[in-house]
PDB file of all heavy atoms in Angstrom:
ATOM      1  N   ARG A 855       0.815  -1.210  -0.019  1.00 95.00           N
ATOM      2  CA  ARG A 855       0.017   0.061   0.028  1.00 95.00           C
ATOM      3  C   ARG A 855       0.868   1.229  -0.010  1.00 95.00           C
ATOM      4  O   ARG A 855       0.587   2.232  -0.708  1.00 95.00           O
ATOM      5  CB  ARG A 855      -0.930  -0.047   1.197  1.00 95.00           C
ATOM      6  CG  ARG A 855      -1.791   1.195   1.307  1.00 95.00           C
ATOM      7  CD  ARG A 855      -2.739   1.327   0.290  1.00 95.00           C
ATOM      8  NE  ARG A 855      -3.499   2.584   0.401  1.00 95.00           N
ATOM      9  CZ  ARG A 855      -3.865   3.420  -0.687  1.00 95.00           C
ATOM     10  NH1 ARG A 855      -3.474   3.152  -1.907  1.00 95.00           N
ATOM     11  NH2 ARG A 855      -4.551   4.462  -0.436  1.00 95.00           N
ATOM     12  N   LEU A 856       1.903   1.283   0.787  1.00 96.00           N
ATOM     13  CA  LEU A 856       2.805   2.352   0.855  1.00 96.00           C
ATOM     14  C   LEU A 856       3.499   2.548  -0.537  1.00 96.00           C
ATOM     15  O   LEU A 856       3.610   3.642  -1.027  1.00 96.00           O
ATOM     16  CB  LEU A 856       3.878   2.224   1.940  1.00 96.00           C
ATOM     17  CG  LEU A 856       4.715   3.447   1.980  1.00 96.00           C
ATOM     18  CD1 LEU A 856       4.535   4.268   3.200  1.00 96.00           C
ATOM     19  CD2 LEU A 856       6.173   3.006   1.786  1.00 96.00           C
ATOM     20  N   LYS A 857       3.913   1.523  -1.169  1.00 97.00           N
ATOM     21  CA  LYS A 857       4.583   1.552  -2.528  1.00 97.00           C
ATOM     22  C   LYS A 857       3.571   2.194  -3.526  1.00 97.00           C
ATOM     23  O   LYS A 857       4.020   3.028  -4.287  1.00 97.00           O
ATOM     24  CB  LYS A 857       4.983   0.174  -2.923  1.00 97.00           C
ATOM     25  CG  LYS A 857       6.332  -0.242  -2.141  1.00 97.00           C
ATOM     26  CD  LYS A 857       6.561  -1.665  -2.431  1.00 97.00           C
ATOM     27  CE  LYS A 857       7.372  -1.807  -3.732  1.00 97.00           C
ATOM     28  NZ  LYS A 857       7.860  -3.208  -3.977  1.00 97.00           N
ATOM     29  N   GLU A 858       2.266   1.828  -3.416  1.00 96.00           N
ATOM     30  CA  GLU A 858       1.316   2.374  -4.353  1.00 96.00           C
ATOM     31  C   GLU A 858       1.300   3.984  -4.128  1.00 96.00           C
ATOM     32  O   GLU A 858       1.325   4.684  -5.132  1.00 96.00           O
ATOM     33  CB  GLU A 858      -0.099   1.845  -4.027  1.00 96.00           C
ATOM     34  CG  GLU A 858      -0.380   0.498  -4.418  1.00 96.00           C
ATOM     35  CD  GLU A 858      -1.699  -0.002  -3.927  1.00 96.00           C
ATOM     36  OE1 GLU A 858      -2.579   0.890  -3.663  1.00 96.00           O
ATOM     37  OE2 GLU A 858      -1.882  -1.261  -3.783  1.00 96.00           O
ATOM     38  N   LEU A 859       1.190   4.303  -2.936  1.00 94.00           N
ATOM     39  CA  LEU A 859       1.164   5.746  -2.642  1.00 94.00           C
ATOM     40  C   LEU A 859       2.473   6.454  -2.897  1.00 94.00           C
ATOM     41  O   LEU A 859       2.331   7.658  -3.315  1.00 94.00           O
ATOM     42  CB  LEU A 859       0.685   6.016  -1.167  1.00 94.00           C
ATOM     43  CG  LEU A 859      -0.749   5.685  -0.885  1.00 94.00           C
ATOM     44  CD1 LEU A 859      -1.090   5.802   0.594  1.00 94.00           C
ATOM     45  CD2 LEU A 859      -1.682   6.589  -1.651  1.00 94.00           C
ATOM     46  N   ALA A 860       3.473   5.822  -2.667  1.00 96.00           N
ATOM     47  CA  ALA A 860       4.801   6.415  -3.007  1.00 96.00           C
ATOM     48  C   ALA A 860       4.938   6.825  -4.538  1.00 96.00           C
ATOM     49  O   ALA A 860       5.638   7.726  -4.885  1.00 96.00           O
ATOM     50  CB  ALA A 860       5.871   5.651  -2.580  1.00 96.00           C
ATOM     51  N   MET A 861       4.256   6.064  -5.337  1.00 97.00           N
ATOM     52  CA  MET A 861       4.219   6.449  -6.792  1.00 97.00           C
ATOM     53  C   MET A 861       3.280   7.474  -7.128  1.00 97.00           C
ATOM     54  O   MET A 861       3.285   8.102  -8.121  1.00 97.00           O
ATOM     55  CB  MET A 861       3.945   5.095  -7.622  1.00 97.00           C
ATOM     56  CG  MET A 861       5.014   4.097  -7.545  1.00 97.00           C
ATOM     57  SD  MET A 861       6.704   4.746  -8.095  1.00 97.00           S
ATOM     58  CE  MET A 861       6.483   4.895  -9.849  1.00 97.00           C
ATOM     59  N   GLN A 862       2.192   7.676  -6.282  1.00 96.00           N
ATOM     60  CA  GLN A 862       1.133   8.594  -6.473  1.00 96.00           C
ATOM     61  C   GLN A 862       1.333   9.985  -5.803  1.00 96.00           C
ATOM     62  O   GLN A 862       0.853  10.936  -6.284  1.00 96.00           O
ATOM     63  CB  GLN A 862      -0.144   8.061  -6.066  1.00 96.00           C
ATOM     64  CG  GLN A 862      -0.602   6.738  -6.731  1.00 96.00           C
ATOM     65  CD  GLN A 862      -1.772   6.093  -6.106  1.00 96.00           C
ATOM     66  OE1 GLN A 862      -2.389   6.630  -5.258  1.00 96.00           O
ATOM     67  NE2 GLN A 862      -2.142   4.911  -6.679  1.00 96.00           N
ATOM     68  N   ARG A 863       1.892   9.913  -4.688  1.00 95.00           N
ATOM     69  CA  ARG A 863       2.100  11.133  -3.791  1.00 95.00           C
ATOM     70  C   ARG A 863       3.563  11.369  -3.441  1.00 95.00           C
ATOM     71  O   ARG A 863       4.173  10.452  -2.892  1.00 95.00           O
ATOM     72  CB  ARG A 863       1.221  11.020  -2.548  1.00 95.00           C
ATOM     73  CG  ARG A 863      -0.301  10.842  -2.924  1.00 95.00           C
ATOM     74  CD  ARG A 863      -1.162  11.156  -1.789  1.00 95.00           C
ATOM     75  NE  ARG A 863      -0.971  12.483  -1.257  1.00 95.00           N
ATOM     76  CZ  ARG A 863      -1.715  12.884  -0.303  1.00 95.00           C
ATOM     77  NH1 ARG A 863      -2.724  12.217   0.227  1.00 95.00           N
ATOM     78  NH2 ARG A 863      -1.558  14.200   0.258  1.00 95.00           N
ATOM     79  N   ARG A 864       4.054  12.505  -3.775  1.00 95.00           N
ATOM     80  CA  ARG A 864       5.427  12.837  -3.607  1.00 95.00           C
ATOM     81  C   ARG A 864       5.880  12.564  -2.174  1.00 95.00           C
ATOM     82  O   ARG A 864       7.000  12.122  -1.939  1.00 95.00           O
ATOM     83  CB  ARG A 864       5.659  14.260  -4.127  1.00 95.00           C
ATOM     84  CG  ARG A 864       7.181  14.640  -4.027  1.00 95.00           C
ATOM     85  CD  ARG A 864       7.304  16.092  -4.355  1.00 95.00           C
ATOM     86  NE  ARG A 864       8.777  16.455  -4.318  1.00 95.00           N
ATOM     87  CZ  ARG A 864       9.557  16.416  -5.324  1.00 95.00           C
ATOM     88  NH1 ARG A 864       9.136  16.062  -6.507  1.00 95.00           N
ATOM     89  NH2 ARG A 864      10.784  16.776  -5.237  1.00 95.00           N
ATOM     90  N   CYS A 865       5.010  12.982  -1.227  1.00 95.00           N
ATOM     91  CA  CYS A 865       5.526  12.919   0.192  1.00 95.00           C
ATOM     92  C   CYS A 865       5.954  11.477   0.576  1.00 95.00           C
ATOM     93  O   CYS A 865       6.873  11.299   1.292  1.00 95.00           O
ATOM     94  CB  CYS A 865       4.473  13.642   1.143  1.00 95.00           C
ATOM     95  SG  CYS A 865       2.921  12.723   1.199  1.00 95.00           S
ATOM     96  N   PHE A 866       5.090  10.512   0.119  1.00 95.00           N
ATOM     97  CA  PHE A 866       5.369   9.170   0.494  1.00 95.00           C
ATOM     98  C   PHE A 866       6.651   8.642  -0.316  1.00 95.00           C
ATOM     99  O   PHE A 866       7.460   7.834   0.268  1.00 95.00           O
ATOM    100  CB  PHE A 866       4.217   8.190   0.214  1.00 95.00           C
ATOM    101  CG  PHE A 866       3.092   8.506   1.213  1.00 95.00           C
ATOM    102  CD1 PHE A 866       1.957   9.173   0.747  1.00 95.00           C
ATOM    103  CD2 PHE A 866       3.205   8.088   2.501  1.00 95.00           C
ATOM    104  CE1 PHE A 866       0.908   9.361   1.724  1.00 95.00           C
ATOM    105  CE2 PHE A 866       2.244   8.417   3.435  1.00 95.00           C
ATOM    106  CZ  PHE A 866       1.091   9.018   3.067  1.00 95.00           C
ATOM    107  N   GLY A 867       6.840   9.095  -1.459  1.00 96.00           N
ATOM    108  CA  GLY A 867       8.066   8.826  -2.230  1.00 96.00           C
ATOM    109  C   GLY A 867       9.313   9.392  -1.569  1.00 96.00           C
ATOM    110  O   GLY A 867      10.328   8.706  -1.356  1.00 96.00           O
ATOM    111  N   GLU A 868       9.224  10.571  -1.099  1.00 95.00           N
ATOM    112  CA  GLU A 868      10.239  11.181  -0.356  1.00 95.00           C
ATOM    113  C   GLU A 868      10.563  10.489   0.921  1.00 95.00           C
ATOM    114  O   GLU A 868      11.796  10.369   1.227  1.00 95.00           O
ATOM    115  CB  GLU A 868       9.908  12.728  -0.057  1.00 95.00           C
ATOM    116  CG  GLU A 868       9.866  13.579  -1.270  1.00 95.00           C
ATOM    117  CD  GLU A 868       9.363  15.013  -0.990  1.00 95.00           C
ATOM    118  OE1 GLU A 868       8.730  15.114   0.101  1.00 95.00           O
ATOM    119  OE2 GLU A 868       9.627  15.954  -1.804  1.00 95.00           O
ATOM    120  N   LEU A 869       9.539  10.098   1.625  1.00 95.00           N
ATOM    121  CA  LEU A 869       9.774   9.392   2.863  1.00 95.00           C
ATOM    122  C   LEU A 869      10.517   8.053   2.660  1.00 95.00           C
ATOM    123  O   LEU A 869      11.403   7.790   3.304  1.00 95.00           O
ATOM    124  CB  LEU A 869       8.463   9.083   3.580  1.00 95.00           C
ATOM    125  CG  LEU A 869       8.529   8.269   4.839  1.00 95.00           C
ATOM    126  CD1 LEU A 869       9.305   8.988   5.965  1.00 95.00           C
ATOM    127  CD2 LEU A 869       7.208   7.834   5.429  1.00 95.00           C
ATOM    128  N   ALA A 870      10.032   7.334   1.633  1.00 96.00           N
ATOM    129  CA  ALA A 870      10.776   6.081   1.357  1.00 96.00           C
ATOM    130  C   ALA A 870      12.210   6.330   1.012  1.00 96.00           C
ATOM    131  O   ALA A 870      13.089   5.465   1.447  1.00 96.00           O
ATOM    132  CB  ALA A 870       9.962   5.414   0.244  1.00 96.00           C
ATOM    133  N   ILE A 871      12.500   7.314   0.247  1.00 95.00           N
ATOM    134  CA  ILE A 871      13.851   7.552  -0.232  1.00 95.00           C
ATOM    135  C   ILE A 871      14.728   8.112   0.963  1.00 95.00           C
ATOM    136  O   ILE A 871      15.842   7.848   1.101  1.00 95.00           O
ATOM    137  CB  ILE A 871      13.892   8.491  -1.393  1.00 95.00           C
ATOM    138  CG1 ILE A 871      13.251   7.828  -2.569  1.00 95.00           C
ATOM    139  CG2 ILE A 871      15.289   8.911  -1.778  1.00 95.00           C
ATOM    140  CD1 ILE A 871      13.799   6.430  -2.905  1.00 95.00           C
ATOM    141  N   ASN A 872      14.057   8.958   1.822  1.00 94.00           N
ATOM    142  CA  ASN A 872      14.787   9.489   2.985  1.00 94.00           C
ATOM    143  C   ASN A 872      15.232   8.436   3.906  1.00 94.00           C
ATOM    144  O   ASN A 872      16.286   8.549   4.545  1.00 94.00           O
ATOM    145  CB  ASN A 872      13.825  10.460   3.759  1.00 94.00           C
ATOM    146  CG  ASN A 872      14.500  11.022   5.020  1.00 94.00           C
ATOM    147  OD1 ASN A 872      14.252  10.533   6.166  1.00 94.00           O
ATOM    148  ND2 ASN A 872      15.352  11.959   4.833  1.00 94.00           N
ATOM    149  N   LEU A 873      14.379   7.344   3.951  1.00 93.00           N
ATOM    150  CA  LEU A 873      14.834   6.275   4.940  1.00 93.00           C
ATOM    151  C   LEU A 873      15.813   5.319   4.223  1.00 93.00           C
ATOM    152  O   LEU A 873      16.291   4.365   4.865  1.00 93.00           O
ATOM    153  CB  LEU A 873      13.466   5.411   5.312  1.00 93.00           C
ATOM    154  CG  LEU A 873      12.605   6.232   6.253  1.00 93.00           C
ATOM    155  CD1 LEU A 873      11.271   5.356   6.501  1.00 93.00           C
ATOM    156  CD2 LEU A 873      13.306   6.568   7.600  1.00 93.00           C
ATOM    157  N   TRP A 874      16.197   5.565   3.058  1.00 93.00           N
ATOM    158  CA  TRP A 874      17.305   4.906   2.352  1.00 93.00           C
ATOM    159  C   TRP A 874      18.529   5.755   2.579  1.00 93.00           C
ATOM    160  O   TRP A 874      19.518   5.221   2.968  1.00 93.00           O
ATOM    161  CB  TRP A 874      17.021   4.808   0.920  1.00 93.00           C
ATOM    162  CG  TRP A 874      18.098   4.204   0.043  1.00 93.00           C
ATOM    163  CD1 TRP A 874      19.137   3.454   0.488  1.00 93.00           C
ATOM    164  CD2 TRP A 874      18.285   4.303  -1.316  1.00 93.00           C
ATOM    165  NE1 TRP A 874      19.869   2.988  -0.607  1.00 93.00           N
ATOM    166  CE2 TRP A 874      19.316   3.570  -1.727  1.00 93.00           C
ATOM    167  CE3 TRP A 874      17.427   4.853  -2.296  1.00 93.00           C
ATOM    168  CZ2 TRP A 874      19.803   3.360  -3.033  1.00 93.00           C
ATOM    169  CZ3 TRP A 874      17.859   4.718  -3.712  1.00 93.00           C
ATOM    170  CH2 TRP A 874      18.963   3.969  -4.004  1.00 93.00           C
ATOM    171  N   HIS A 875      18.445   7.034   2.351  1.00 87.00           N
ATOM    172  CA  HIS A 875      19.547   7.929   2.509  1.00 87.00           C
ATOM    173  C   HIS A 875      19.119   9.218   2.959  1.00 87.00           C
ATOM    174  O   HIS A 875      18.296   9.867   2.417  1.00 87.00           O
ATOM    175  CB  HIS A 875      20.353   8.052   1.221  1.00 87.00           C
ATOM    176  CG  HIS A 875      21.800   8.527   1.419  1.00 87.00           C
ATOM    177  ND1 HIS A 875      21.962   9.902   1.710  1.00 87.00           N
ATOM    178  CD2 HIS A 875      22.944   7.945   1.301  1.00 87.00           C
ATOM    179  CE1 HIS A 875      23.308  10.003   1.869  1.00 87.00           C
ATOM    180  NE2 HIS A 875      23.936   8.901   1.634  1.00 87.00           N
ATOM    181  N   HIS A 876      19.743   9.740   4.061  1.00 81.00           N
ATOM    182  CA  HIS A 876      19.379  11.004   4.712  1.00 81.00           C
ATOM    183  C   HIS A 876      19.535  12.238   3.754  1.00 81.00           C
ATOM    184  O   HIS A 876      19.020  13.188   4.140  1.00 81.00           O
ATOM    185  CB  HIS A 876      20.079  11.157   6.037  1.00 81.00           C
ATOM    186  CG  HIS A 876      21.545  11.490   5.890  1.00 81.00           C
ATOM    187  ND1 HIS A 876      22.472  10.431   5.707  1.00 81.00           N
ATOM    188  CD2 HIS A 876      22.234  12.662   5.837  1.00 81.00           C
ATOM    189  CE1 HIS A 876      23.711  10.986   5.460  1.00 81.00           C
ATOM    190  NE2 HIS A 876      23.512  12.203   5.587  1.00 81.00           N
ATOM    191  N   ARG A 877      20.341  12.177   2.717  1.00 80.00           N
ATOM    192  CA  ARG A 877      20.513  13.471   1.937  1.00 80.00           C
ATOM    193  C   ARG A 877      19.187  13.736   1.200  1.00 80.00           C
ATOM    194  O   ARG A 877      19.104  14.952   0.772  1.00 80.00           O
ATOM    195  CB  ARG A 877      21.671  13.229   0.948  1.00 80.00           C
ATOM    196  CG  ARG A 877      21.330  12.334  -0.223  1.00 80.00           C
ATOM    197  CD  ARG A 877      22.515  12.334  -1.214  1.00 80.00           C
ATOM    198  NE  ARG A 877      22.115  11.525  -2.328  1.00 80.00           N
ATOM    199  CZ  ARG A 877      22.597  10.284  -2.585  1.00 80.00           C
ATOM    200  NH1 ARG A 877      23.418   9.734  -1.667  1.00 80.00           N
ATOM    201  NH2 ARG A 877      22.321   9.623  -3.642  1.00 80.00           N
ATOM    202  N   PHE A 878      18.292  12.919   1.138  1.00 82.00           N
ATOM    203  CA  PHE A 878      16.937  13.212   0.536  1.00 82.00           C
ATOM    204  C   PHE A 878      15.987  13.766   1.647  1.00 82.00           C
ATOM    205  O   PHE A 878      15.804  13.056   2.657  1.00 82.00           O
ATOM    206  CB  PHE A 878      16.379  12.074  -0.177  1.00 82.00           C
ATOM    207  CG  PHE A 878      17.186  11.562  -1.329  1.00 82.00           C
ATOM    208  CD1 PHE A 878      17.971  10.409  -1.174  1.00 82.00           C
ATOM    209  CD2 PHE A 878      17.239  12.224  -2.494  1.00 82.00           C
ATOM    210  CE1 PHE A 878      18.816   9.924  -2.232  1.00 82.00           C
ATOM    211  CE2 PHE A 878      18.058  11.803  -3.575  1.00 82.00           C
ATOM    212  CZ  PHE A 878      18.828  10.610  -3.414  1.00 82.00           C
ATOM    213  N   ARG A 879      15.432  14.768   1.388  1.00 85.00           N
ATOM    214  CA  ARG A 879      14.477  15.434   2.383  1.00 85.00           C
ATOM    215  C   ARG A 879      13.036  14.835   2.118  1.00 85.00           C
ATOM    216  O   ARG A 879      12.779  14.389   1.053  1.00 85.00           O
ATOM    217  CB  ARG A 879      14.456  16.958   2.186  1.00 85.00           C
ATOM    218  CG  ARG A 879      15.776  17.487   2.430  1.00 85.00           C
ATOM    219  CD  ARG A 879      15.763  19.058   2.209  1.00 85.00           C
ATOM    220  NE  ARG A 879      14.825  19.734   3.006  1.00 85.00           N
ATOM    221  CZ  ARG A 879      14.915  20.403   4.067  1.00 85.00           C
ATOM    222  NH1 ARG A 879      16.188  20.714   4.460  1.00 85.00           N
ATOM    223  NH2 ARG A 879      13.948  20.960   4.676  1.00 85.00           N
ATOM    224  N   CYS A 880      12.304  14.940   3.163  1.00 88.00           N
ATOM    225  CA  CYS A 880      10.860  14.426   3.030  1.00 88.00           C
ATOM    226  C   CYS A 880       9.880  15.364   3.809  1.00 88.00           C
ATOM    227  O   CYS A 880      10.354  16.024   4.823  1.00 88.00           O
ATOM    228  CB  CYS A 880      10.656  13.079   3.479  1.00 88.00           C
ATOM    229  SG  CYS A 880      10.761  12.743   5.202  1.00 88.00           S
ATOM    230  N   ASP A 881       8.687  15.392   3.375  1.00 89.00           N
ATOM    231  CA  ASP A 881       7.620  16.267   3.977  1.00 89.00           C
ATOM    232  C   ASP A 881       6.756  15.311   4.985  1.00 89.00           C
ATOM    233  O   ASP A 881       5.802  14.819   4.382  1.00 89.00           O
ATOM    234  CB  ASP A 881       6.757  16.960   2.942  1.00 89.00           C
ATOM    235  CG  ASP A 881       5.731  17.857   3.525  1.00 89.00           C
ATOM    236  OD1 ASP A 881       5.583  17.905   4.720  1.00 89.00           O
ATOM    237  OD2 ASP A 881       4.927  18.338   2.657  1.00 89.00           O
ATOM    238  N   LEU A 882       7.176  15.082   6.083  1.00 89.00           N
ATOM    239  CA  LEU A 882       6.592  14.096   6.958  1.00 89.00           C
ATOM    240  C   LEU A 882       5.175  14.616   7.380  1.00 89.00           C
ATOM    241  O   LEU A 882       4.230  13.833   7.506  1.00 89.00           O
ATOM    242  CB  LEU A 882       7.436  13.913   8.248  1.00 89.00           C
ATOM    243  CG  LEU A 882       6.959  12.764   9.204  1.00 89.00           C
ATOM    244  CD1 LEU A 882       6.843  11.449   8.352  1.00 89.00           C
ATOM    245  CD2 LEU A 882       7.862  12.601  10.275  1.00 89.00           C
ATOM    246  N   HIS A 883       5.010  15.944   7.450  1.00 92.00           N
ATOM    247  CA  HIS A 883       3.689  16.506   7.789  1.00 92.00           C
ATOM    248  C   HIS A 883       2.682  16.143   6.788  1.00 92.00           C
ATOM    249  O   HIS A 883       1.508  15.708   7.130  1.00 92.00           O
ATOM    250  CB  HIS A 883       3.890  18.035   7.881  1.00 92.00           C
ATOM    251  CG  HIS A 883       2.504  18.731   8.241  1.00 92.00           C
ATOM    252  ND1 HIS A 883       2.076  18.747   9.575  1.00 92.00           N
ATOM    253  CD2 HIS A 883       1.734  19.383   7.501  1.00 92.00           C
ATOM    254  CE1 HIS A 883       0.984  19.375   9.614  1.00 92.00           C
ATOM    255  NE2 HIS A 883       0.653  19.812   8.369  1.00 92.00           N
ATOM    256  N   SER A 884       2.897  16.145   5.492  1.00 93.00           N
ATOM    257  CA  SER A 884       2.013  15.770   4.444  1.00 93.00           C
ATOM    258  C   SER A 884       1.681  14.285   4.556  1.00 93.00           C
ATOM    259  O   SER A 884       0.569  13.858   4.339  1.00 93.00           O
ATOM    260  CB  SER A 884       2.608  16.033   3.070  1.00 93.00           C
ATOM    261  OG  SER A 884       2.608  17.457   2.837  1.00 93.00           O
ATOM    262  N   CYS A 885       2.697  13.499   4.944  1.00 92.00           N
ATOM    263  CA  CYS A 885       2.419  12.034   5.110  1.00 92.00           C
ATOM    264  C   CYS A 885       1.395  11.816   6.283  1.00 92.00           C
ATOM    265  O   CYS A 885       0.443  11.007   6.085  1.00 92.00           O
ATOM    266  CB  CYS A 885       3.636  11.319   5.417  1.00 92.00           C
ATOM    267  SG  CYS A 885       4.816  11.112   4.080  1.00 92.00           S
ATOM    268  N   ILE A 886       1.612  12.508   7.340  1.00 91.00           N
ATOM    269  CA  ILE A 886       0.731  12.308   8.501  1.00 91.00           C
ATOM    270  C   ILE A 886      -0.674  12.825   8.076  1.00 91.00           C
ATOM    271  O   ILE A 886      -1.680  12.207   8.507  1.00 91.00           O
ATOM    272  CB  ILE A 886       1.266  13.049   9.725  1.00 91.00           C
ATOM    273  CG1 ILE A 886       2.630  12.482  10.144  1.00 91.00           C
ATOM    274  CG2 ILE A 886       0.326  13.021  10.862  1.00 91.00           C
ATOM    275  CD1 ILE A 886       2.732  11.003  10.353  1.00 91.00           C
ATOM    276  N   ASN A 887      -0.809  13.925   7.437  1.00 93.00           N
ATOM    277  CA  ASN A 887      -2.130  14.348   7.004  1.00 93.00           C
ATOM    278  C   ASN A 887      -2.777  13.371   6.177  1.00 93.00           C
ATOM    279  O   ASN A 887      -3.990  13.083   6.223  1.00 93.00           O
ATOM    280  CB  ASN A 887      -2.024  15.806   6.223  1.00 93.00           C
ATOM    281  CG  ASN A 887      -1.812  16.928   7.261  1.00 93.00           C
ATOM    282  OD1 ASN A 887      -2.187  16.748   8.403  1.00 93.00           O
ATOM    283  ND2 ASN A 887      -1.349  17.961   6.756  1.00 93.00           N
ATOM    284  N   ALA A 888      -2.015  12.841   5.191  1.00 90.00           N
ATOM    285  CA  ALA A 888      -2.666  11.831   4.263  1.00 90.00           C
ATOM    286  C   ALA A 888      -3.058  10.548   5.023  1.00 90.00           C
ATOM    287  O   ALA A 888      -4.068   9.829   4.736  1.00 90.00           O
ATOM    288  CB  ALA A 888      -1.624  11.314   3.159  1.00 90.00           C
ATOM    289  N   LEU A 889      -2.279  10.225   6.016  1.00 89.00           N
ATOM    290  CA  LEU A 889      -2.603   8.970   6.841  1.00 89.00           C
ATOM    291  C   LEU A 889      -3.891   9.166   7.522  1.00 89.00           C
ATOM    292  O   LEU A 889      -4.659   8.145   7.692  1.00 89.00           O
ATOM    293  CB  LEU A 889      -1.443   8.919   7.996  1.00 89.00           C
ATOM    294  CG  LEU A 889      -1.471   7.790   8.977  1.00 89.00           C
ATOM    295  CD1 LEU A 889      -1.594   6.403   8.213  1.00 89.00           C
ATOM    296  CD2 LEU A 889      -0.512   7.888  10.060  1.00 89.00           C
ATOM    297  N   SER A 890      -4.293  10.337   7.981  1.00 90.00           N
ATOM    298  CA  SER A 890      -5.538  10.580   8.623  1.00 90.00           C
ATOM    299  C   SER A 890      -6.806  10.363   7.701  1.00 90.00           C
ATOM    300  O   SER A 890      -7.921  10.213   8.129  1.00 90.00           O
ATOM    301  CB  SER A 890      -5.627  12.038   9.258  1.00 90.00           C
ATOM    302  OG  SER A 890      -5.707  12.998   8.232  1.00 90.00           O
ATOM    303  N   GLN A 891      -6.577  10.429   6.385  1.00 90.00           N
ATOM    304  CA  GLN A 891      -7.571  10.242   5.418  1.00 90.00           C
ATOM    305  C   GLN A 891      -7.698   8.804   4.892  1.00 90.00           C
ATOM    306  O   GLN A 891      -8.646   8.483   4.196  1.00 90.00           O
ATOM    307  CB  GLN A 891      -7.272  11.087   4.231  1.00 90.00           C
ATOM    308  CG  GLN A 891      -7.198  12.634   4.555  1.00 90.00           C
ATOM    309  CD  GLN A 891      -6.701  13.452   3.386  1.00 90.00           C
ATOM    310  OE1 GLN A 891      -6.552  13.100   2.270  1.00 90.00           O
ATOM    311  NE2 GLN A 891      -6.330  14.728   3.724  1.00 90.00           N
ATOM    312  N   GLU A 892      -6.857   7.919   5.369  1.00 88.00           N
ATOM    313  CA  GLU A 892      -6.946   6.486   4.913  1.00 88.00           C
ATOM    314  C   GLU A 892      -8.100   5.802   5.686  1.00 88.00           C
ATOM    315  O   GLU A 892      -8.300   6.098   6.804  1.00 88.00           O
ATOM    316  CB  GLU A 892      -5.599   5.890   5.223  1.00 88.00           C
ATOM    317  CG  GLU A 892      -4.462   6.117   4.251  1.00 88.00           C
ATOM    318  CD  GLU A 892      -4.753   5.443   2.916  1.00 88.00           C
ATOM    319  OE1 GLU A 892      -4.871   4.114   2.890  1.00 88.00           O
ATOM    320  OE2 GLU A 892      -4.742   6.103   1.902  1.00 88.00           O
TER     321      GLU A 892
END
């Protein structure tokens, strides 16, 4: 499910990549907002 959203919503893509390498930034706030809509 996360992989689906990572391809659809930038914030989840950024999060997945940030947890691979810290040089990539992510918008965690947008991820949490999207989580509340699931």
Side-chain angles (χ1 to χ4, degrees):
R855 176 64 181 141
L856 182 110
K857 288 173 78 171
E858 289 173 22
L859 286 175
M861 292 302 289
Q862 297 169 6
R863 299 198 55 180
R864 183 182 181 97
C865 65
F866 291 107
E868 290 173 339
L869 175 64
I871 297 306
N872 176 264
L873 292 175
W874 177 18
H875 197 289
H876 69 276
R877 76 175 181 257
F878 297 103
R879 299 176 55 106
C880 71
D881 180 3
L882 190 56
H883 182 76
S884 291
C885 290
I886 299 304
N887 282 341
L889 180 64
S890 68
Q891 299 169 11
E892 281 288 305

